[in-house]
Amino acid sequence: MEEQTLKVQKIRNGIVIDHIPCGMALKVLKILNINGDIGSTVSLVMHVKSRMGCKDVVKIEDRFLDEREIDKIALIAPTATVNVIENYKVVNKHKVELPDEIVGIVKCMNPRCITNQREPVVSEFKVISKNPVILKCKYCEREMGVEDIIENIL
Ligand code: CTP
Ligand code: ZN
């Protein structure tokens, strides 16, 4: 275990998103809009052996997350833990938690849905299953699974 966790350096300040389901790290970076233009250091490990079998870890220096970003992570990586690091210490650790309703974070995949017309209607979904995640549009009742959600995250 020690050997595995030492693969990537500890960070001084920033966030560590730990216990991401195996293979989802790149998607986490995508929904946080992190690409090659970021000015700070990002480290990423995929397929690390862990208690639960296998996990990915993303470390982003000098970056913090707002509620909306944490909800987005919960949608695609429901087992993730967000650790806030200050001066090398974990000052805050919490598991992401999927709310019962998702408002304004995912675009409905039904092109005819009222939320996709030129109306000022914010998308709203009910979380009808948490594992695997399934959302149901409050307006048109279209159901969306994880792959659909990733494609339509706002
Ligand atoms: N970490 C880091 N830089 C630091 C401190 C911690 O990159 N300065 C990372 C650790 O490598 C780990 C995560 O942040 O991936 C959480 O750290 P810690 O709480 O010390 O580890 P664990 O107790 O193993 O966490 P958990 O119980 O959540 O698995
Ligand atoms: Zn809809």
Side-chain angles (χ1 to χ4, degrees), residues 40-97:
S40 50
T41 304
V42 175
S43 25
L44 180 153
V45 274
M46 289 167 74
H47 287 249
V48 186
K49 287 199 185 71
S50 78
R51 275 167 273 148
M52 288 155 31
C54 174
K55 68 172 183 179
D56 288 1
V57 184
V58 168
K59 303 188 183 190
I60 312 170
E61 292 184 37
D62 303 316
R63 169 79 141 73
F64 296 91
L65 300 175
D66 59 31
E67 279 305 314
R68 193 179 153 83
E69 290 175 318
I70 292 171
D71 283 350
K72 287 184 183 182
I73 294 169
L75 277 171
I76 67 157
T79 54
T81 307
V82 176
N83 298 275
V84 178
I85 313 294
E86 278 175 25
N87 213 6
Y88 291 105
K89 288 212 167 65
V90 178
V91 294
N92 191 323
K93 178 194 291 281
H94 60 270
K95 258 189 72 66
V96 298
E97 207 192 323

Side-chain angles (χ1 to χ4, degrees), residues 124-135:
E124 260 183 73
F125 296 86
K126 232 185 146 47
V127 177
I128 59 170
S129 161
K130 293 201 176 186
N131 190 16
V133 177
I134 302 173
L135 303 182

Side-chain angles (χ1 to χ4, degrees), residues 108-110 113-116 125 137-142:
C108 182
M109 68 190 288
N110 172 7
C113 180
I114 184 149
T115 59
N116 289 322
F125 296 86
C137 178
K138 220 182 100 176
Y139 294 95
C140 74
E141 309 209 315
R142 174 69 68 95

